[in-house]
Amino acid sequence: MARREFLLKSGYLSIGFSLLGCTQGSNAATPTPLGEAADFSLDPQMAPLPDGSRIDAWLQVLENGQVRVLTGKMELGQGLKVVMQQVAGEELNIPPQRIDVLIADTGRTQNEGVTAGSRSVERSAMTVRRAAAAAREYMKQLAAKKWETDADALELTPEGVKNNSGTILSFTDLLAGQQLDTEIPQDVSLKPKDQYQWVGSPVPHPDLEKIVRGDAVYIQDMRLPEMVHARLVRPPVYDARLQSRDQAIERMPGVLQIVENGSFLAVIAEEEYQAVKAADALQKSAQWESGTALPEVRSWADYMLEQGEKANHPAPASGNAHHAIYSKPYVMHGSIGPSCAIAVYDEERLHIWSHSQGVYNLRATVSDMTGIPEESIRVTGVRGSGCYGHNGADDVGGDAALIAVAFPGRPVRLQWQRSDEHQWEPYGSAMRMELSASLDNSGRINSWRYDLWSDGHSTRPRGNAGNLIGARLLAEPAVFGGSGRVGGGTRNSEPYYRIPKVDVSDHHVAGPLRTSALRSLGAYANIFAIESFMDELAKKAGKDPLDFRIEHSDDERSVAVLEALRDLIKSEPAAAGEGLGIAFSRYKNSASYCAVAAKVRVDLEQKKIRPLKMWAVLEAGEAINTDGLKNQTEGGMIQSASWTLKEEVKFDTQEILSKNWTEYPIIRYDAIPETEVVIIDRPDLPPLGAGESAQGPAGAAIANAVYAACGKRVRELPIERYLFGS
């Protein structure tokens, strides 16, 4: 019995909703609400995009008078949509809930590159703010011309422009079918901050209620008419090649086609479970030529030194010198929902729905892989089930494109399996961090040397097909250009402290596993090492760890978050077996300030570490949405706790072993610590990105708390493995 028939006969109806309307033209009407069928018309060119210096590149008035914001950035769960609503609504005097936000789409929005590096608020949202302010002044000027009055005497309201007598001209009447096709002045006047109604307030994220209810929100939920389903069959290791397969799989129920191109192997079926069963049979029957064996690794600290570029380490300068080596393993993005994409091809044009963080980059890369011109490819962003960094989203988009081109005419939905996601996503690189420092007679640091070893931290597709894993499996395989040097691995490698002599060097390692950008890139490991080392130096100097950091800080904003953290934890008791640890960083040494404290319980006999509570003080300049900042910080601390205590990609010489949640454990709901976050708002300063600020100090705070609880300093991650030997 087919799944659909079974569900109907059992009295349960499963309905797949389309997520968005892909209506034609830049002057489209109101967006298609959830539950209505999507128009997936294959017109990748759409209307020509307005120049990015014009208001209508960022802001449009729809036929019903509703205002739409257009952003080339992707909503990842970081709350970008509500921030866009707030800043645009503030400048236009329109409640944020009445602002529609259209996210990344190569047919509709500007090319704003990749949504990464915690830059979306300080760059993209501020561009939207300026566009909204320009729109306000432009519409007031249009009304002033109609009424032959002074624009300064007019007011923008949610219904339109109002004059002193209370008469209102609606936005649609003012524009008379046109758009806001005028330049954004360089000196546009923003709304005075003392008149803010919504910025700085905890405006709820528009999608949270839908997510909690389990509504159709993600690409994984998206359904299109006449859609078929696909599954992949992957080789056991990266460069293994297909030798043979069972040709009878095509005759299995529901199977429409087997796509075979070199070692790229996929099955297409009418129903999803039919595709799953056929792919499973295909996986069991496929024979592969052995690929390159993976190395045996006992210690990442040793491996990175042995395989990487060499460094010379000077002897300690004095008896007050201190030296330590830290390391972290490969870590997964570990998205709870495996990656998914939908693609449809009509033998001329290709349309892809994807949760890629760079839709224009994906378009260029798919063009390079398939030979289809970029202008004939459209990539529409649909949020995925959560990821900070380069997980499998681009790869599955490329895979879906390959399958759709081989099976034109009907939309193809490709859902990766859990094993696909765990084995084939690009991981965060393993790293080694070696530190040496000396103290003067007063216990202050007078010299600092830092060496780090890492593979590259970004292999995002940027027009090069070799960065898509599927393209490397084709009969004419695309060539992977490599991960480059350390790249983002150097992020936060320089201590954000006042130290007379600092020497920082990076050393590239061509590691055995696929790597790319994972939330905060190298900052997590660098801050873990630096802030663990600061605690060790504080102990050597006989000083309180928090006082020691303040003593080495000459930035008053750093001192403010540390002092605020002191106030949060000053009365916190610690029983036997419990410990309190702290850490601090300024993300990228130029973005948000974050100080974190962690309280843990360590049971050496039972081999258990329980994070009890975590505190954070965050300062990100002007706080647009205080709840959003708290959410990001809470989530960052919990994710970091999981990385620090548990996570490690395991493999043997033949394959990746971490294929599921049993073999790659993450922190469970019943182990999540209580969290408390304080936001220091600086409305007089520009807003700063905060989505990646907590990971580094949170990990170091936990390591320092473990030391405080049991007296054992763990310098290799994950802590549970190296503390308990498991």
Side-chain angles (χ1 to χ4, degrees):
M1 183 183 292
R3 179 174 178 271
R4 180 176 296 172
E5 182 183 358
F6 169 77
L7 292 172
L8 288 171
K9 288 185 176 180
S10 65
Y12 176 79
L13 178 62
S14 175
I15 302 174
F17 293 113
S18 124
L19 297 184
L20 57 145
C22 303
T23 48
Q24 299 291 315
S26 61
N27 195 25
T30 52
T32 304
L34 276 170
E36 293 187 14
D39 170 11
F40 61 100
S41 173
L42 283 169
D43 184 4
Q45 291 184 351
M46 305 292 287
L49 293 180
D51 186 274
S53 64
R54 284 174 26 186
I55 298 173
D56 58 346
W58 310 98
L59 206 75
Q60 296 176 352
V61 175
L62 307 181
E63 292 174 2
N64 65 350
Q66 184 179 4
V67 173
R68 169 179 288 158
V69 166
L70 303 112
T71 174
K73 295 293 186 178
M74 192 70 176
E75 173 61 68
L76 313 175
Q78 80 277 43
L80 181 62
K81 286 175 67 175
V82 71
V83 168
M84 296 284 190
Q85 289 175 317
Q86 284 179 268
V87 296
E90 196 69 79
E91 297 296 337
L92 294 168
N93 276 346
I94 297 175
Q97 296 82 356
R98 293 182 58 176
I99 305 268
D100 177 50
V101 179
L102 180 72
I103 60 174
D105 185 336
T106 61
R108 304 289 293 282
T109 63
Q110 297 295 310
N111 182 358
E112 293 192 77
V114 178
T115 306
S118 298
R119 296 188 296 264
S120 296
V121 170
E122 55 189 281
R123 295 187 183 181
S124 185
M126 293 306 99
T127 300
V128 168
R129 171 183 268 179
R130 294 180 66 252
R136 178 192 65 229
E137 297 306 314
Y138 179 62
M139 287 192 283
K140 286 169 61 176
Q141 290 166 10
L142 290 177
K145 188 174 180 180
K146 282 180 176 285
W147 281 324
E148 297 182 351
T149 187
D150 185 0
D152 291 338
L154 305 178
E155 176 189 358
L156 215 67
T157 74
E159 288 71 36
V161 181
K162 183 170 69 173
N163 62 18
N164 289 332
S165 64
T167 303
I168 294 177
L169 268 172
S170 72
F171 300 145
T172 50
D173 287 343
L174 274 172
L175 294 172
Q178 301 300 308
Q179 267 304 336
L180 299 158
D181 54 354
T182 188
E183 298 285 314
I184 302 171
Q186 290 296 320
D187 58 348
V188 61
S189 298
L190 301 178
K191 186 176 184 179
K193 296 186 178 184
D194 60 4
Q195 296 179 21
Y196 279 175
Q197 303 175 70
W198 300 290
V199 167
S201 302
V203 175
H205 191 293
D207 292 340
L208 284 183
E209 185 179 339
K210 300 172 188 175
I211 292 169
V212 171
R213 284 202 311 258
D215 288 354
V217 173
Y218 302 126
I219 180 71
Q220 286 86 351
D221 303 317
M222 187 175 176
R223 300 294 184 269
L224 294 176
E226 299 298 315
M227 189 174 72
V228 297
H229 297 269
R231 285 296 191 277
L232 296 170
V233 174
R234 294 291 201 202
V237 72
Y238 294 132
D239 57 355
R241 307 304 294 179
L242 182 65
Q243 291 183 316
S244 65
R245 66 170 180 89
D246 186 352
Q247 300 294 322
I249 304 297
E250 284 94 335
R251 297 193 293 274
M252 289 184 67
V255 173
L256 298 170
Q257 185 173 324
I258 303 296
V259 178
E260 181 179 345
N261 185 337
S263 295
F264 181 85
L265 195 56
V267 58
I268 307 170
E270 286 284 359
E271 301 289 341
E272 185 168 18
Y273 189 51
Q274 292 170 337
V276 171
K277 289 194 293 184
D280 184 58
L282 200 55
Q283 186 77 62
K284 291 175 181 176
S285 72
Q287 299 296 313
W288 303 90
E289 178 185 309
S290 297
T292 305
L294 296 171
E296 293 184 2
V297 178
R298 297 184 180 277
S299 163
W300 285 112
D302 294 342
Y303 179 88
M304 304 299 275
L305 182 63
E306 293 165 2
Q307 300 298 318
E309 299 169 349
K310 306 308 177 186
N312 295 318
H313 303 286
S318 70
N320 284 333
H322 188 62
H323 176 260
I325 297 170
Y326 304 85
S327 69
K328 70 170 281 285
Y330 286 87
V331 176
M332 290 184 187
H333 295 81
S335 300
I336 298 300
S339 296
C340 180
I342 298 174
V344 61
Y345 180 62
D346 73 346
E347 300 189 355
E348 288 185 9
R349 297 163 296 179
L350 175 66
H351 193 159
I352 304 167
W353 288 264
S354 169
H355 54 120
S356 167
Q357 292 175 210
V359 292
Y360 277 91
N361 286 355
L362 179 58
R363 182 180 73 168
T365 308
V366 169
S367 175
D368 186 50
M369 178 177 66
T370 62
I372 300 171
E374 282 190 53
E375 59 269 20
S376 295
I377 301 173
R378 179 179 173 194
V379 181
T380 296
V382 184
R383 67 179 297 174
S385 61
C387 175
Y388 283 83
H390 176 205
N391 69 340
D394 292 290
D395 290 307
V396 75
D399 292 338
L402 288 171
I403 298 168
V405 169
F407 188 80
R410 294 178 67 179
V412 177
R413 177 180 181 268
L414 174 61
Q415 172 69 67
W416 273 16
Q417 303 280 83
R418 170 55 54 201
S419 58
D420 293 323
E421 190 77 29
H422 269 39
Q423 291 179 280
W424 291 91
E425 67 143 88
Y427 308 125
S429 177
M431 291 178 65
R432 169 193 166 104
M433 296 74 65
E434 184 166 354
L435 295 92
S436 298
S438 60
L439 303 174
D440 63 20
N441 292 332
S442 67
R444 293 175 66 99
I445 305 169
N446 60 14
S447 70
W448 179 284
R449 178 172 178 82
Y450 188 86
D451 286 276
L452 72 95
W453 284 259
S454 178
D455 204 339
H457 282 257
S458 185
T459 57
R460 293 181 186 272
R462 301 179 187 274
N464 45 334
N467 280 22
L468 294 176
I469 201 70
R472 300 186 216 170
L473 301 173
L474 299 177
E476 296 183 10
V479 177
F480 175 52
S483 60
R485 276 197 55 80
V486 173
T490 61
R491 187 171 292 177
N492 279 100
S493 57
E494 292 192 16
Y496 197 69
Y497 294 109
R498 185 177 63 252
I499 300 171
K501 182 181 179 183
V502 174
D503 186 0
V504 177
S505 300
D506 60 89
H507 314 283
H508 180 245
V509 182
L513 304 185
R514 187 183 183 209
T515 63
S516 195
L518 176 61
R519 191 176 189 182
S520 80
L521 284 73
Y524 164 72
N526 289 323
I527 296 167
F528 158 69
I530 290 170
E531 288 297 297
S532 295
F533 197 62
M534 287 293 288
D535 250 41
E536 295 186 42
L537 289 173
K539 181 175 177 60
K540 189 176 183 70
K543 298 183 179 182
D544 175 80
L546 201 151
D547 290 338
F548 188 70
R549 287 168 171 81
I550 291 176
E551 185 179 327
H552 287 86
S553 298
D554 56 7
D555 184 337
E556 64 177 18
R557 296 167 75 179
S558 301
V559 174
V561 296
L562 285 164
E563 292 285 12
L565 185 69
R566 188 202 303 276
D567 291 340
L568 283 178
I569 62 174
K570 62 184 178 184
S571 301
E572 186 67 26
E578 295 179 354
L580 199 65
I582 67 140
F584 160 81
S585 77
R586 184 178 187 190
Y587 184 52
K588 296 190 286 190
N589 288 358
S590 61
S592 299
Y593 298 77
C594 187
V596 174
K599 183 179 181 181
V600 306
R601 181 185 297 122
V602 179
D603 188 329
L604 294 175
E605 289 186 3
Q606 297 295 319
K607 296 185 176 181
K608 290 183 179 179
I609 302 174
R610 176 66 188 264
L612 302 172
K613 185 169 182 179
M614 299 184 77
W615 299 259
V617 179
L618 180 80
E619 195 258 90
E622 179 186 20
I624 305 296
N625 189 308
T626 51
D627 265 9
L629 289 174
K630 288 182 179 180
N631 292 343
Q632 290 304 296
T633 306
E634 290 167 354
M637 289 193 295
I638 293 167
Q639 184 178 40
S640 183
S642 185
W643 289 346
T644 304
L645 294 173
K646 297 179 176 296
E647 295 187 37
E648 176 182 16
V649 177
K650 295 182 179 180
F651 57 92
D652 61 17
T653 58
Q654 300 300 314
E655 63 179 345
I656 304 294
L657 300 175
S658 301
K659 301 176 184 179
N660 53 48
W661 295 122
T662 301
E663 295 163 331
Y664 186 86
I666 61 174
I667 196 167
R668 302 287 178 153
Y669 279 112
D670 60 1
I672 289 176
E674 180 185 351
T675 58
E676 183 177 350
V677 177
V678 170
I679 305 297
I680 297 177
D681 188 9
R682 303 266 194 179
D684 54 319
L685 296 175
L688 298 170
E692 299 172 296
S693 298
Q695 285 72 27
I702 288 174
N704 292 333
V706 167
Y707 175 79
C710 68
K712 294 181 181 294
R713 173 63 63 181
V714 182
R715 298 190 178 106
E716 294 188 84
L717 300 179
I719 288 176
E720 288 184 353
R721 175 185 172 189
Y722 287 97
L723 184 61
F724 303 134
S726 57

